[in-house]
PDB file of all heavy atoms in Angstrom:
ATOM      1  N   ALA A   1      -9.460   7.353  -3.328  1.00 89.00           N
ATOM      2  CA  ALA A   1      -8.029   7.374  -3.647  1.00 89.00           C
ATOM      3  C   ALA A   1      -7.788   7.769  -5.095  1.00 89.00           C
ATOM      4  O   ALA A   1      -6.710   8.271  -5.432  1.00 89.00           O
ATOM      5  CB  ALA A   1      -7.418   6.011  -3.376  1.00 89.00           C
ATOM      6  N   LEU A   2      -8.780   7.582  -5.964  1.00 88.00           N
ATOM      7  CA  LEU A   2      -8.625   7.937  -7.373  1.00 88.00           C
ATOM      8  C   LEU A   2      -8.638   9.450  -7.610  1.00 88.00           C
ATOM      9  O   LEU A   2      -8.422   9.894  -8.728  1.00 88.00           O
ATOM     10  CB  LEU A   2      -9.699   7.263  -8.214  1.00 88.00           C
ATOM     11  CG  LEU A   2      -9.573   5.744  -8.333  1.00 88.00           C
ATOM     12  CD1 LEU A   2     -10.773   5.163  -9.046  1.00 88.00           C
ATOM     13  CD2 LEU A   2      -8.299   5.369  -9.059  1.00 88.00           C
ATOM     14  N   ARG A   3      -8.864  10.228  -6.567  1.00 90.00           N
ATOM     15  CA  ARG A   3      -8.791  11.683  -6.702  1.00 90.00           C
ATOM     16  C   ARG A   3      -7.360  12.151  -6.918  1.00 90.00           C
ATOM     17  O   ARG A   3      -7.133  13.201  -7.478  1.00 90.00           O
ATOM     18  CB  ARG A   3      -9.349  12.370  -5.458  1.00 90.00           C
ATOM     19  CG  ARG A   3     -10.848  12.294  -5.351  1.00 90.00           C
ATOM     20  CD  ARG A   3     -11.315  13.038  -4.138  1.00 90.00           C
ATOM     21  NE  ARG A   3     -10.790  12.320  -2.956  1.00 90.00           N
ATOM     22  CZ  ARG A   3     -10.702  12.841  -1.754  1.00 90.00           C
ATOM     23  NH1 ARG A   3     -11.064  14.069  -1.542  1.00 90.00           N
ATOM     24  NH2 ARG A   3     -10.244  12.129  -0.753  1.00 90.00           N
ATOM     25  N   TYR A   4      -6.388  11.357  -6.484  1.00 92.00           N
ATOM     26  CA  TYR A   4      -4.986  11.726  -6.620  1.00 92.00           C
ATOM     27  C   TYR A   4      -4.462  11.265  -7.979  1.00 92.00           C
ATOM     28  O   TYR A   4      -4.517  10.085  -8.303  1.00 92.00           O
ATOM     29  CB  TYR A   4      -4.167  11.096  -5.487  1.00 92.00           C
ATOM     30  CG  TYR A   4      -4.636  11.541  -4.134  1.00 92.00           C
ATOM     31  CD1 TYR A   4      -5.473  10.735  -3.363  1.00 92.00           C
ATOM     32  CD2 TYR A   4      -4.262  12.773  -3.622  1.00 92.00           C
ATOM     33  CE1 TYR A   4      -5.912  11.139  -2.125  1.00 92.00           C
ATOM     34  CE2 TYR A   4      -4.696  13.197  -2.382  1.00 92.00           C
ATOM     35  CZ  TYR A   4      -5.522  12.374  -1.642  1.00 92.00           C
ATOM     36  OH  TYR A   4      -5.953  12.784  -0.415  1.00 92.00           O
ATOM     37  N   PRO A   5      -3.924  12.177  -8.778  1.00 94.00           N
ATOM     38  CA  PRO A   5      -3.510  11.822 -10.145  1.00 94.00           C
ATOM     39  C   PRO A   5      -2.440  10.739 -10.194  1.00 94.00           C
ATOM     40  O   PRO A   5      -2.487   9.862 -11.057  1.00 94.00           O
ATOM     41  CB  PRO A   5      -2.980  13.133 -10.723  1.00 94.00           C
ATOM     42  CG  PRO A   5      -3.469  14.210  -9.842  1.00 94.00           C
ATOM     43  CD  PRO A   5      -3.760  13.602  -8.519  1.00 94.00           C
ATOM     44  N   VAL A   6      -1.473  10.779  -9.290  1.00 96.00           N
ATOM     45  CA  VAL A   6      -0.402   9.783  -9.321  1.00 96.00           C
ATOM     46  C   VAL A   6      -0.963   8.387  -9.069  1.00 96.00           C
ATOM     47  O   VAL A   6      -0.616   7.426  -9.774  1.00 96.00           O
ATOM     48  CB  VAL A   6       0.687  10.134  -8.287  1.00 96.00           C
ATOM     49  CG1 VAL A   6       1.711   9.030  -8.187  1.00 96.00           C
ATOM     50  CG2 VAL A   6       1.337  11.450  -8.618  1.00 96.00           C
ATOM     51  N   PHE A   7      -1.849   8.268  -8.087  1.00 95.00           N
ATOM     52  CA  PHE A   7      -2.460   6.974  -7.814  1.00 95.00           C
ATOM     53  C   PHE A   7      -3.318   6.529  -8.984  1.00 95.00           C
ATOM     54  O   PHE A   7      -3.306   5.358  -9.350  1.00 95.00           O
ATOM     55  CB  PHE A   7      -3.307   7.025  -6.548  1.00 95.00           C
ATOM     56  CG  PHE A   7      -3.969   5.711  -6.225  1.00 95.00           C
ATOM     57  CD1 PHE A   7      -3.256   4.699  -5.622  1.00 95.00           C
ATOM     58  CD2 PHE A   7      -5.293   5.480  -6.557  1.00 95.00           C
ATOM     59  CE1 PHE A   7      -3.844   3.483  -5.333  1.00 95.00           C
ATOM     60  CE2 PHE A   7      -5.886   4.267  -6.280  1.00 95.00           C
ATOM     61  CZ  PHE A   7      -5.164   3.269  -5.668  1.00 95.00           C
ATOM     62  N   ARG A   8      -4.058   7.466  -9.607  1.00 94.00           N
ATOM     63  CA  ARG A   8      -4.918   7.137 -10.736  1.00 94.00           C
ATOM     64  C   ARG A   8      -4.095   6.606 -11.910  1.00 94.00           C
ATOM     65  O   ARG A   8      -4.455   5.607 -12.530  1.00 94.00           O
ATOM     66  CB  ARG A   8      -5.722   8.369 -11.138  1.00 94.00           C
ATOM     67  CG  ARG A   8      -6.820   8.105 -12.125  1.00 94.00           C
ATOM     68  CD  ARG A   8      -7.732   9.308 -12.327  1.00 94.00           C
ATOM     69  NE  ARG A   8      -7.040  10.561 -12.527  1.00 94.00           N
ATOM     70  CZ  ARG A   8      -7.136  11.615 -11.707  1.00 94.00           C
ATOM     71  NH1 ARG A   8      -7.901  11.553 -10.639  1.00 94.00           N
ATOM     72  NH2 ARG A   8      -6.474  12.729 -11.954  1.00 94.00           N
ATOM     73  N   TYR A   9      -2.947   7.241 -12.206  1.00 96.00           N
ATOM     74  CA  TYR A   9      -2.080   6.769 -13.288  1.00 96.00           C
ATOM     75  C   TYR A   9      -1.494   5.405 -12.970  1.00 96.00           C
ATOM     76  O   TYR A   9      -1.417   4.540 -13.851  1.00 96.00           O
ATOM     77  CB  TYR A   9      -0.953   7.769 -13.553  1.00 96.00           C
ATOM     78  CG  TYR A   9      -1.432   9.126 -14.007  1.00 96.00           C
ATOM     79  CD1 TYR A   9      -0.763  10.270 -13.630  1.00 96.00           C
ATOM     80  CD2 TYR A   9      -2.572   9.263 -14.799  1.00 96.00           C
ATOM     81  CE1 TYR A   9      -1.196  11.519 -14.037  1.00 96.00           C
ATOM     82  CE2 TYR A   9      -3.006  10.493 -15.211  1.00 96.00           C
ATOM     83  CZ  TYR A   9      -2.324  11.625 -14.825  1.00 96.00           C
ATOM     84  OH  TYR A   9      -2.760  12.845 -15.229  1.00 96.00           O
ATOM     85  N   LEU A  10      -1.076   5.208 -11.744  1.00 96.00           N
ATOM     86  CA  LEU A  10      -0.525   3.912 -11.352  1.00 96.00           C
ATOM     87  C   LEU A  10      -1.587   2.822 -11.441  1.00 96.00           C
ATOM     88  O   LEU A  10      -1.316   1.715 -11.905  1.00 96.00           O
ATOM     89  CB  LEU A  10       0.044   3.993  -9.932  1.00 96.00           C
ATOM     90  CG  LEU A  10       0.688   2.738  -9.395  1.00 96.00           C
ATOM     91  CD1 LEU A  10       1.926   2.380 -10.200  1.00 96.00           C
ATOM     92  CD2 LEU A  10       1.055   2.930  -7.940  1.00 96.00           C
ATOM     93  N   TRP A  11      -2.808   3.118 -11.025  1.00 95.00           N
ATOM     94  CA  TRP A  11      -3.897   2.149 -11.068  1.00 95.00           C
ATOM     95  C   TRP A  11      -4.233   1.788 -12.514  1.00 95.00           C
ATOM     96  O   TRP A  11      -4.403   0.611 -12.847  1.00 95.00           O
ATOM     97  CB  TRP A  11      -5.125   2.728 -10.359  1.00 95.00           C
ATOM     98  CG  TRP A  11      -6.226   1.755 -10.176  1.00 95.00           C
ATOM     99  CD1 TRP A  11      -6.357   0.826  -9.191  1.00 95.00           C
ATOM    100  CD2 TRP A  11      -7.375   1.608 -11.026  1.00 95.00           C
ATOM    101  NE1 TRP A  11      -7.516   0.117  -9.370  1.00 95.00           N
ATOM    102  CE2 TRP A  11      -8.162   0.568 -10.485  1.00 95.00           C
ATOM    103  CE3 TRP A  11      -7.810   2.254 -12.171  1.00 95.00           C
ATOM    104  CZ2 TRP A  11      -9.345   0.182 -11.069  1.00 95.00           C
ATOM    105  CZ3 TRP A  11      -8.994   1.860 -12.747  1.00 95.00           C
ATOM    106  CH2 TRP A  11      -9.749   0.829 -12.191  1.00 95.00           C
ATOM    107  N   MET A  12      -4.285   2.794 -13.399  1.00 96.00           N
ATOM    108  CA  MET A  12      -4.585   2.516 -14.805  1.00 96.00           C
ATOM    109  C   MET A  12      -3.462   1.709 -15.452  1.00 96.00           C
ATOM    110  O   MET A  12      -3.733   0.803 -16.246  1.00 96.00           O
ATOM    111  CB  MET A  12      -4.808   3.824 -15.565  1.00 96.00           C
ATOM    112  CG  MET A  12      -6.137   4.475 -15.245  1.00 96.00           C
ATOM    113  SD  MET A  12      -6.534   5.894 -16.287  1.00 96.00           S
ATOM    114  CE  MET A  12      -5.285   7.070 -15.821  1.00 96.00           C
ATOM    115  N   ALA A  13      -2.214   2.008 -15.120  1.00 97.00           N
ATOM    116  CA  ALA A  13      -1.095   1.244 -15.672  1.00 97.00           C
ATOM    117  C   ALA A  13      -1.133  -0.200 -15.196  1.00 97.00           C
ATOM    118  O   ALA A  13      -0.837  -1.123 -15.962  1.00 97.00           O
ATOM    119  CB  ALA A  13       0.226   1.893 -15.282  1.00 97.00           C
ATOM    120  N   THR A  14      -1.530  -0.427 -13.966  1.00 97.00           N
ATOM    121  CA  THR A  14      -1.644  -1.783 -13.437  1.00 97.00           C
ATOM    122  C   THR A  14      -2.751  -2.549 -14.145  1.00 97.00           C
ATOM    123  O   THR A  14      -2.582  -3.730 -14.476  1.00 97.00           O
ATOM    124  CB  THR A  14      -1.906  -1.745 -11.924  1.00 97.00           C
ATOM    125  OG1 THR A  14      -0.853  -1.017 -11.284  1.00 97.00           O
ATOM    126  CG2 THR A  14      -1.982  -3.123 -11.337  1.00 97.00           C
ATOM    127  N   VAL A  15      -3.871  -1.913 -14.399  1.00 97.00           N
ATOM    128  CA  VAL A  15      -4.976  -2.569 -15.110  1.00 97.00           C
ATOM    129  C   VAL A  15      -4.547  -2.950 -16.522  1.00 97.00           C
ATOM    130  O   VAL A  15      -4.781  -4.084 -16.974  1.00 97.00           O
ATOM    131  CB  VAL A  15      -6.228  -1.665 -15.126  1.00 97.00           C
ATOM    132  CG1 VAL A  15      -7.265  -2.182 -16.096  1.00 97.00           C
ATOM    133  CG2 VAL A  15      -6.824  -1.550 -13.739  1.00 97.00           C
ATOM    134  N   VAL A  16      -3.886  -2.025 -17.218  1.00 97.00           N
ATOM    135  CA  VAL A  16      -3.427  -2.315 -18.579  1.00 97.00           C
ATOM    136  C   VAL A  16      -2.408  -3.448 -18.570  1.00 97.00           C
ATOM    137  O   VAL A  16      -2.453  -4.349 -19.420  1.00 97.00           O
ATOM    138  CB  VAL A  16      -2.854  -1.037 -19.239  1.00 97.00           C
ATOM    139  CG1 VAL A  16      -2.132  -1.358 -20.535  1.00 97.00           C
ATOM    140  CG2 VAL A  16      -3.953  -0.025 -19.472  1.00 97.00           C
ATOM    141  N   SER A  17      -1.505  -3.444 -17.601  1.00 97.00           N
ATOM    142  CA  SER A  17      -0.504  -4.503 -17.507  1.00 97.00           C
ATOM    143  C   SER A  17      -1.148  -5.855 -17.229  1.00 97.00           C
ATOM    144  O   SER A  17      -0.756  -6.875 -17.821  1.00 97.00           O
ATOM    145  CB  SER A  17       0.495  -4.169 -16.406  1.00 97.00           C
ATOM    146  OG  SER A  17       1.411  -5.209 -16.226  1.00 97.00           O
ATOM    147  N   ASN A  18      -2.126  -5.893 -16.341  1.00 96.00           N
ATOM    148  CA  ASN A  18      -2.817  -7.152 -16.046  1.00 96.00           C
ATOM    149  C   ASN A  18      -3.571  -7.677 -17.263  1.00 96.00           C
ATOM    150  O   ASN A  18      -3.535  -8.880 -17.544  1.00 96.00           O
ATOM    151  CB  ASN A  18      -3.775  -6.983 -14.872  1.00 96.00           C
ATOM    152  CG  ASN A  18      -3.061  -6.993 -13.545  1.00 96.00           C
ATOM    153  OD1 ASN A  18      -1.979  -7.549 -13.404  1.00 96.00           O
ATOM    154  ND2 ASN A  18      -3.670  -6.363 -12.569  1.00 96.00           N
ATOM    155  N   VAL A  19      -4.241  -6.797 -17.987  1.00 97.00           N
ATOM    156  CA  VAL A  19      -4.962  -7.231 -19.187  1.00 97.00           C
ATOM    157  C   VAL A  19      -3.972  -7.781 -20.211  1.00 97.00           C
ATOM    158  O   VAL A  19      -4.227  -8.803 -20.860  1.00 97.00           O
ATOM    159  CB  VAL A  19      -5.803  -6.075 -19.771  1.00 97.00           C
ATOM    160  CG1 VAL A  19      -6.334  -6.410 -21.151  1.00 97.00           C
ATOM    161  CG2 VAL A  19      -6.956  -5.743 -18.830  1.00 97.00           C
ATOM    162  N   GLY A  20      -2.819  -7.140 -20.349  1.00 96.00           N
ATOM    163  CA  GLY A  20      -1.793  -7.641 -21.259  1.00 96.00           C
ATOM    164  C   GLY A  20      -1.284  -9.012 -20.855  1.00 96.00           C
ATOM    165  O   GLY A  20      -1.055  -9.882 -21.701  1.00 96.00           O
ATOM    166  N   GLY A  21      -1.117  -9.232 -19.565  1.00 91.00           N
ATOM    167  CA  GLY A  21      -0.686 -10.547 -19.080  1.00 91.00           C
ATOM    168  C   GLY A  21      -1.721 -11.616 -19.348  1.00 91.00           C
ATOM    169  O   GLY A  21      -1.373 -12.752 -19.725  1.00 91.00           O
ATOM    170  N   TRP A  22      -2.976 -11.278 -19.161  1.00 91.00           N
ATOM    171  CA  TRP A  22      -4.053 -12.241 -19.438  1.00 91.00           C
ATOM    172  C   TRP A  22      -4.111 -12.563 -20.926  1.00 91.00           C
ATOM    173  O   TRP A  22      -4.314 -13.728 -21.305  1.00 91.00           O
ATOM    174  CB  TRP A  22      -5.399 -11.689 -18.982  1.00 91.00           C
ATOM    175  CG  TRP A  22      -5.505 -11.435 -17.517  1.00 91.00           C
ATOM    176  CD1 TRP A  22      -4.825 -12.070 -16.514  1.00 91.00           C
ATOM    177  CD2 TRP A  22      -6.323 -10.460 -16.891  1.00 91.00           C
ATOM    178  NE1 TRP A  22      -5.169 -11.539 -15.307  1.00 91.00           N
ATOM    179  CE2 TRP A  22      -6.102 -10.539 -15.502  1.00 91.00           C
ATOM    180  CE3 TRP A  22      -7.221  -9.510 -17.358  1.00 91.00           C
ATOM    181  CZ2 TRP A  22      -6.742  -9.727 -14.587  1.00 91.00           C
ATOM    182  CZ3 TRP A  22      -7.863  -8.708 -16.440  1.00 91.00           C
ATOM    183  CH2 TRP A  22      -7.627  -8.821 -15.080  1.00 91.00           C
ATOM    184  N   MET A  23      -3.937 -11.551 -21.760  1.00 94.00           N
ATOM    185  CA  MET A  23      -3.948 -11.782 -23.205  1.00 94.00           C
ATOM    186  C   MET A  23      -2.772 -12.660 -23.624  1.00 94.00           C
ATOM    187  O   MET A  23      -2.924 -13.553 -24.457  1.00 94.00           O
ATOM    188  CB  MET A  23      -3.898 -10.447 -23.960  1.00 94.00           C
ATOM    189  CG  MET A  23      -5.182  -9.649 -23.863  1.00 94.00           C
ATOM    190  SD  MET A  23      -5.043  -7.977 -24.521  1.00 94.00           S
ATOM    191  CE  MET A  23      -4.601  -8.289 -26.187  1.00 94.00           C
ATOM    192  N   TYR A  24      -1.608 -12.430 -23.032  1.00 90.00           N
ATOM    193  CA  TYR A  24      -0.441 -13.250 -23.341  1.00 90.00           C
ATOM    194  C   TYR A  24      -0.678 -14.698 -22.938  1.00 90.00           C
ATOM    195  O   TYR A  24      -0.359 -15.625 -23.682  1.00 90.00           O
ATOM    196  CB  TYR A  24       0.794 -12.698 -22.625  1.00 90.00           C
ATOM    197  CG  TYR A  24       1.985 -13.606 -22.724  1.00 90.00           C
ATOM    198  CD1 TYR A  24       2.737 -13.668 -23.891  1.00 90.00           C
ATOM    199  CD2 TYR A  24       2.356 -14.409 -21.662  1.00 90.00           C
ATOM    200  CE1 TYR A  24       3.825 -14.512 -23.997  1.00 90.00           C
ATOM    201  CE2 TYR A  24       3.438 -15.257 -21.754  1.00 90.00           C
ATOM    202  CZ  TYR A  24       4.169 -15.300 -22.927  1.00 90.00           C
ATOM    203  OH  TYR A  24       5.235 -16.138 -23.023  1.00 90.00           O
ATOM    204  N   SER A  25      -1.238 -14.902 -21.766  1.00 85.00           N
ATOM    205  CA  SER A  25      -1.500 -16.262 -21.284  1.00 85.00           C
ATOM    206  C   SER A  25      -2.501 -16.983 -22.190  1.00 85.00           C
ATOM    207  O   SER A  25      -2.289 -18.149 -22.556  1.00 85.00           O
ATOM    208  CB  SER A  25      -2.025 -16.204 -19.851  1.00 85.00           C
ATOM    209  OG  SER A  25      -2.276 -17.486 -19.366  1.00 85.00           O
ATOM    210  N   ALA A  26      -3.566 -16.306 -22.569  1.00 88.00           N
ATOM    211  CA  ALA A  26      -4.563 -16.918 -23.453  1.00 88.00           C
ATOM    212  C   ALA A  26      -3.986 -17.170 -24.838  1.00 88.00           C
ATOM    213  O   ALA A  26      -4.219 -18.232 -25.436  1.00 88.00           O
ATOM    214  CB  ALA A  26      -5.801 -16.026 -23.542  1.00 88.00           C
ATOM    215  N   ALA A  27      -3.197 -16.223 -25.346  1.00 90.00           N
ATOM    216  CA  ALA A  27      -2.643 -16.376 -26.689  1.00 90.00           C
ATOM    217  C   ALA A  27      -1.597 -17.482 -26.748  1.00 90.00           C
ATOM    218  O   ALA A  27      -1.511 -18.202 -27.749  1.00 90.00           O
ATOM    219  CB  ALA A  27      -2.030 -15.058 -27.148  1.00 90.00           C
ATOM    220  N   SER A  28      -0.799 -17.639 -25.686  1.00 85.00           N
ATOM    221  CA  SER A  28       0.203 -18.704 -25.721  1.00 85.00           C
ATOM    222  C   SER A  28      -0.457 -20.081 -25.680  1.00 85.00           C
ATOM    223  O   SER A  28      -0.025 -21.005 -26.386  1.00 85.00           O
ATOM    224  CB  SER A  28       1.193 -18.548 -24.558  1.00 85.00           C
ATOM    225  OG  SER A  28       0.554 -18.697 -23.318  1.00 85.00           O
ATOM    226  N   GLY A  29      -1.508 -20.238 -24.913  1.00 83.00           N
ATOM    227  CA  GLY A  29      -2.249 -21.499 -24.914  1.00 83.00           C
ATOM    228  C   GLY A  29      -2.921 -21.769 -26.247  1.00 83.00           C
ATOM    229  O   GLY A  29      -2.927 -22.901 -26.741  1.00 83.00           O
ATOM    230  N   TRP A  30      -3.470 -20.726 -26.840  1.00 88.00           N
ATOM    231  CA  TRP A  30      -4.134 -20.854 -28.139  1.00 88.00           C
ATOM    232  C   TRP A  30      -3.124 -21.223 -29.234  1.00 88.00           C
ATOM    233  O   TRP A  30      -3.386 -22.089 -30.072  1.00 88.00           O
ATOM    234  CB  TRP A  30      -4.810 -19.537 -28.471  1.00 88.00           C
ATOM    235  CG  TRP A  30      -5.781 -19.561 -29.602  1.00 88.00           C
ATOM    236  CD1 TRP A  30      -5.957 -20.558 -30.531  1.00 88.00           C
ATOM    237  CD2 TRP A  30      -6.705 -18.541 -29.942  1.00 88.00           C
ATOM    238  NE1 TRP A  30      -6.933 -20.207 -31.412  1.00 88.00           N
ATOM    239  CE2 TRP A  30      -7.416 -18.974 -31.078  1.00 88.00           C
ATOM    240  CE3 TRP A  30      -7.006 -17.309 -29.398  1.00 88.00           C
ATOM    241  CZ2 TRP A  30      -8.389 -18.212 -31.673  1.00 88.00           C
ATOM    242  CZ3 TRP A  30      -7.989 -16.548 -29.989  1.00 88.00           C
ATOM    243  CH2 TRP A  30      -8.674 -16.997 -31.120  1.00 88.00           C
ATOM    244  N   LEU A  31      -1.946 -20.572 -29.204  1.00 88.00           N
ATOM    245  CA  LEU A  31      -0.916 -20.877 -30.193  1.00 88.00           C
ATOM    246  C   LEU A  31      -0.440 -22.324 -30.052  1.00 88.00           C
ATOM    247  O   LEU A  31      -0.270 -23.026 -31.055  1.00 88.00           O
ATOM    248  CB  LEU A  31       0.272 -19.927 -30.032  1.00 88.00           C
ATOM    249  CG  LEU A  31       1.448 -20.181 -30.961  1.00 88.00           C
ATOM    250  CD1 LEU A  31       1.041 -19.946 -32.409  1.00 88.00           C
ATOM    251  CD2 LEU A  31       2.623 -19.325 -30.566  1.00 88.00           C
ATOM    252  N   MET A  32      -0.260 -22.794 -28.830  1.00 86.00           N
ATOM    253  CA  MET A  32       0.166 -24.179 -28.637  1.00 86.00           C
ATOM    254  C   MET A  32      -0.904 -25.150 -29.112  1.00 86.00           C
ATOM    255  O   MET A  32      -0.584 -26.220 -29.629  1.00 86.00           O
ATOM    256  CB  MET A  32       0.491 -24.453 -27.175  1.00 86.00           C
ATOM    257  CG  MET A  32       1.886 -24.124 -26.782  1.00 86.00           C
ATOM    258  SD  MET A  32       3.072 -25.128 -27.671  1.00 86.00           S
ATOM    259  CE  MET A  32       3.890 -23.937 -28.667  1.00 86.00           C
ATOM    260  N   MET A  33      -2.172 -24.804 -28.948  1.00 87.00           N
ATOM    261  CA  MET A  33      -3.244 -25.664 -29.451  1.00 87.00           C
ATOM    262  C   MET A  33      -3.214 -25.733 -30.972  1.00 87.00           C
ATOM    263  O   MET A  33      -3.495 -26.773 -31.549  1.00 87.00           O
ATOM    264  CB  MET A  33      -4.612 -25.138 -29.021  1.00 87.00           C
ATOM    265  CG  MET A  33      -5.245 -25.756 -27.794  1.00 87.00           C
ATOM    266  SD  MET A  33      -4.973 -27.489 -27.559  1.00 87.00           S
ATOM    267  CE  MET A  33      -6.486 -28.167 -28.133  1.00 87.00           C
ATOM    268  N   ASP A  34      -2.890 -24.596 -31.625  1.00 90.00           N
ATOM    269  CA  ASP A  34      -2.799 -24.592 -33.087  1.00 90.00           C
ATOM    270  C   ASP A  34      -1.578 -25.362 -33.582  1.00 90.00           C
ATOM    271  O   ASP A  34      -1.639 -26.047 -34.595  1.00 90.00           O
ATOM    272  CB  ASP A  34      -2.736 -23.161 -33.610  1.00 90.00           C
ATOM    273  CG  ASP A  34      -4.095 -22.495 -33.604  1.00 90.00           C
ATOM    274  OD1 ASP A  34      -5.108 -23.208 -33.434  1.00 90.00           O
ATOM    275  OD2 ASP A  34      -4.135 -21.254 -33.762  1.00 90.00           O
ATOM    276  N   LEU A  35      -0.456 -25.235 -32.869  1.00 89.00           N
ATOM    277  CA  LEU A  35       0.775 -25.899 -33.304  1.00 89.00           C
ATOM    278  C   LEU A  35       0.783 -27.390 -32.994  1.00 89.00           C
ATOM    279  O   LEU A  35       1.275 -28.189 -33.784  1.00 89.00           O
ATOM    280  CB  LEU A  35       1.990 -25.233 -32.667  1.00 89.00           C
ATOM    281  CG  LEU A  35       2.253 -23.790 -33.087  1.00 89.00           C
ATOM    282  CD1 LEU A  35       3.434 -23.235 -32.316  1.00 89.00           C
ATOM    283  CD2 LEU A  35       2.488 -23.707 -34.577  1.00 89.00           C
TER     284      LEU A  35
END
């Protein structure tokens, strides 16, 4: 399925979005631990 450019772009955007969500979740817990 990654042969299709539209699917490949959507898949990469989803991966980046998920990593951003994980970073936000970890950072908010870390900030609360510091505060």
Side-chain angles (χ1 to χ4, degrees):
L2 291 173
R3 287 182 295 162
Y4 300 100
V6 173
F7 180 79
R8 190 171 47 242
Y9 298 145
L10 182 65
W11 188 83
M12 286 188 294
T14 303
V15 168
V16 169
S17 176
N18 282 335
V19 169
W22 297 333
M23 289 171 60
Y24 171 77
S25 180
S28 64
W30 193 347
L31 177 65
M32 273 297 113
M33 263 324 259
D34 282 347
L35 295 177

